[in-house]
Amino acid sequence: MEALRASSVPSLYIPKALQKTHLITKPNLMKFQSSQLIPSWSFSSTKENTSTRSFKVFSIPSPTASSSTIISTENTDPRQPEADFETEIKDEKFDWFSEWYPIMPLCDLDKKVPHGKKVLGLDIVVWWDKNESSWKVFDDACPHRLAPLSDGRIDKSGRLQCAYHGWCFNGSGDCKLIPQAAPDGPQVHTSKQACARVYPSIVRHDMVWFWPNTNPEYKDIITKKKPPFIPKMDDSSFSKVWINRDFPYGYEVLVENLLDPAHIPYAHYGIMEIDEPSKVKVDREGGKPLDIVVEQLDINGFFGKYLWDSAKFVAPCTYYNFNDPVAFKGLGGYSILAGTDDEIKKLSEQPRMVFFFFCIPVSPGNSRLIWGYAKNFESWIDKITPRWMLHIGANLAVDSDLYLLHKEEHKIMDVGPANWQKACFVPTKSDAFVTGFRRWLNKYSDGQINWGGKFISGTLPPSPPREQLMDRYWSHVVNCRSCNSAYKSLNALEVILQVISIVSIGIAAATKQSAMSSTARTTMVSMAVICFAASRWLVHFIYKNFHYHDHNHALH
């Protein structure tokens, strides 16, 4: 999690007042800051009509004088929740199809074309309805012959048109045109069977969200239950940077990785370092015991502590952490800041930055992460720095453990998700958030995602070659408007450089010696050589940053 959070933020964004801990990088890479950057901010999961539950605090015992003190795996077995985690309501089960899911940030959606996505095993299409000035989410299947509507177009009337036979649908899913129907015959387009299936949708925090159920009873679900709300993400004084990427490993592994700060010095060695270095280093990377505690857990997620940070996982998608001087009220929200009015005002005026993560289950063995930051200082830098330049650093971070996580998931599936605790030895407090997540998953969802019967339980896609597995183009570039635009522009520049090189050589060779001075000829040849060298370098740059950048841990 720290890796993803830090990887989006260049060091020049960090005011000295915030420098309590450090994330260190090589000189030619970005420098990043750690969790002290999270400011005071409130969060509301807005889960209306949820009964109040009482909790007991769960705390992993404090270590003794020995730093190697371990916690028994029997006490942290996620399949056997301890009494401290028990709530007053028994046998609750998490309903995966009764939650809001983010699809994509608005900055990566084009209003001129429909976008096909997969979330929770569902194929959906997102498109802009100019007649209602809103984003719509449909089932990605035309009711005629089930052709994907995401391969269609937006017609001149602003309707979603199927590219197979031209059927057209308005924002409510009503069929408005069947070209093949006789004009003087039955009005077949008015049949309910001709309607597209529409999912409830909403824009919140500059993202399109949808409710994965087309049952009419959920048509007005937004009036009863809303997506999680983070106030600072709607604060106009905060500038925001977004990134999204698809991963060839599942939702469970993605969430675990975000909740695991202990892997940062090792999996991301040479890219970043978390917190202050240990006074006594046990190895080159400087790993050390981490005091992580899960304090409260219920069907909506859990809350925990790490150093001066608080962390919160709001099921199923939202994770964030912060160092907020507020009184904790439970999983539903937080109280106002503690302190005098002057203290609160002074705190609010400090440079602040918030980080957010949205983990999306796509299908078994596949997940999507949308993450970024919002800050209220040096906003001009975000305005002049292209997003794609920030994304290069972020992709470098996530690529450095991508292969590890993909292989890890396959090994877990070999033994069965229900046997996770038996297969994985997690004896230290640094794994408290990970085991907390597994407790939540086992207690409220039988240890796995409910895919609605769409997939065979326990199966994963086969592992592709490493270069295909870590390819950035299909997992990020095509889904990011900034990176996609930069990719096309850089490729065009590479072609221009080659053309200039060839033309320069051609002119120098074809021009008679008497018609061109030796100085001019030398200049032409030099320009050709420089342009050719630049085009070759650009080819390497494009491939490394937009296609494939391997990470060999043995050489770092």
Side-chain angles (χ1 to χ4, degrees), residues 56 76 133 465 534:
K56 296 180 180 178
T76 57
S133 298

Side-chain angles (χ1 to χ4, degrees), residues 262 265-266 273-274 277-278 280-290:
Y266 299 92
E273 181 177 302
I274 184 173
S278 303
V280 179
K281 296 182 67 172
V282 298
D283 54 22
R284 178 191 66 170
E285 294 79 8
K288 60 183 180 181
L290 300 178

Side-chain angles (χ1 to χ4, degrees), residues 133-204:
S133 298
S134 63
W135 289 97
K136 303 295 183 178
V137 181
F138 287 7
D139 184 57
D140 195 13
C142 178
H144 176 213
R145 298 266 290 280
L146 306 184
L149 292 171
S150 57
D151 281 338
R153 63 183 70 89
I154 311 299
D155 73 358
K156 62 181 181 181
S157 299
R159 302 171 300 191
L160 179 61
Q161 184 181 54
C162 178
Y164 196 21
H165 292 90
W167 288 32
C168 294
F169 307 90
N170 66 8
S172 299
D174 299 327
C175 184
K176 305 309 267 184
L177 174 66
I178 298 180
Q180 296 76 25
D184 55 350
Q187 298 297 300
V188 292
H189 69 276
T190 60
S191 170
K192 290 185 178 180
Q193 290 181 291
C195 296
R197 298 177 63 196
V198 182
Y199 293 100
S201 60
I202 186 176
V203 172
R204 171 165 278 195

Side-chain angles (χ1 to χ4, degrees), residues 247-269:
F247 293 108
Y249 50 79
Y251 159 89
E252 301 94 328
V253 174
L254 172 62
V255 175
E256 286 182 359
N257 192 48
L258 293 174
L259 297 173
D260 175 25
H263 80 282
I264 305 301
Y266 299 92
H268 305 294
Y269 181 78

Side-chain angles (χ1 to χ4, degrees), residues 117 244-248 362 367-369 402 474-476 479:
K117 296 294 176 185
N244 73 85
R245 180 150 176 188
D246 288 2
F247 293 108
V362 174
S367 60
R368 182 177 304 118
L369 177 64
L402 186 153
W474 293 108
S475 63
H476 172 69
N479 297 313

Side-chain angles (χ1 to χ4, degrees), residues 33 47 59 176 209 266 289 317 397 414 443 509 531 538:
Q33 285 292 354
K47 293 181 177 289
S59 175
K176 305 309 267 184
W209 298 69
Y266 299 92
C317 297
D414 287 342
K443 181 176 177 61
C531 287
L538 197 54

Side-chain angles (χ1 to χ4, degrees), residues 4 86 98 186:
L4 299 181
E86 294 297 326
S98 292

Side-chain angles (χ1 to χ4, degrees), residues 79 159 252 273 283 304 316 360 371 397 422 431 449 505-506 534 550:
R79 297 174 298 108
R159 302 171 300 191
E252 301 94 328
E273 181 177 302
D283 54 22
I360 304 166
W371 81 101
K422 293 180 180 179
D431 290 310
I449 296 174
I505 290 292
D550 196 6

